Amino acid sequence: MSKDKNAETEETAGKGGKKKLMLILLVVVLAAAGAGYFFVFKGSGEAAAEEPVAGEVLTLEPIAVNLAGGGYLKIGVTLQFTEEGSAEGHGGSGPDGSKALDLVISTFSQANPADVTGARDALKQALKKKIVEAYHGDVMDIYYNQYVTQ
């Protein structure tokens, strides 16, 4: 009888081990399926987000700005509006550049001549952020069409 009990115990332990193994495999398969679903459908959600459509381009007159440390900067900026932003304006006449000119003056009048020449791209990104916020996202990008320091 002792041999029969040992055989039963080994058989039960073998079945319990198989159940645990099957449970672990099931969890791993479900986790892999969930991860695959997340990555496949997460990527398609980003692709579904539409890029803004380019609209009107507004070229502002170049202006001279006195720099904080002396000297000046003559800068011209062009605004690239979205299609929705192009329709907005004063009396249907198109977008207005006065906010952007004010932001150009306030951004660059606080800059030192070394910043204007050395950190041109950083100043452009800061200016772009301010202009996009001022126009409530209707501006897609800004471009320098003139940039002269003295």
Side-chain angles (χ1 to χ4, degrees):
M1 262 194 161
S2 65
K3 287 185 178 181
D4 288 337
K5 282 187 177 181
N6 287 339
E8 278 182 32
T9 307
E10 288 177 10
E11 200 173 290
T12 308
K15 287 183 180 178
K18 287 182 182 178
K19 286 182 181 178
K20 287 181 183 178
L21 180 64
M22 291 299 283
L23 183 61
I24 290 172
L25 285 174
L26 179 64
V27 169
V28 169
V29 168
L30 288 175
Y37 177 82
F38 176 77
F39 287 116
V40 168
F41 289 108
K42 171 121 170 96
S44 67
E46 290 175 5
E50 291 183 26
E51 290 290 320
V53 178
E56 186 175 334
V57 174
L58 177 63
T59 302
L60 305 176
E61 289 293 319
I63 58 171
V65 179
N66 291 323
L67 300 175
Y72 75 92
L73 168 70
K74 187 171 184 182
I75 183 170
V77 178
T78 300
L79 306 177
Q80 174 70 61
F81 284 88
T82 61
E83 194 172 48
E84 294 89 23
S86 295
E88 297 177 14
H90 296 280
S93 62
D96 180 27
S98 59
K99 288 186 223 175
L101 284 176
D102 183 53
L103 290 169
V104 167
I105 293 168
S106 67
T107 300
F108 287 97
S109 65
Q110 298 172 8
N112 290 317
D115 295 337
V116 171
T117 56
R120 178 182 167 178
D121 292 331
L123 285 170
K124 182 179 180 182
Q125 291 305 317
L127 178 63
K128 178 182 174 182
K129 182 180 177 193
K130 290 178 184 179
I131 289 175
V132 168
E133 287 175 6
Y135 284 90
H136 307 291
D138 290 336
V139 173
M140 289 175 56
D141 206 354
I142 65 169
Y143 309 102
Y144 291 151
N145 53 36
Q146 193 169 37
Y147 196 88
V148 180
T149 61
Q150 187 175 18

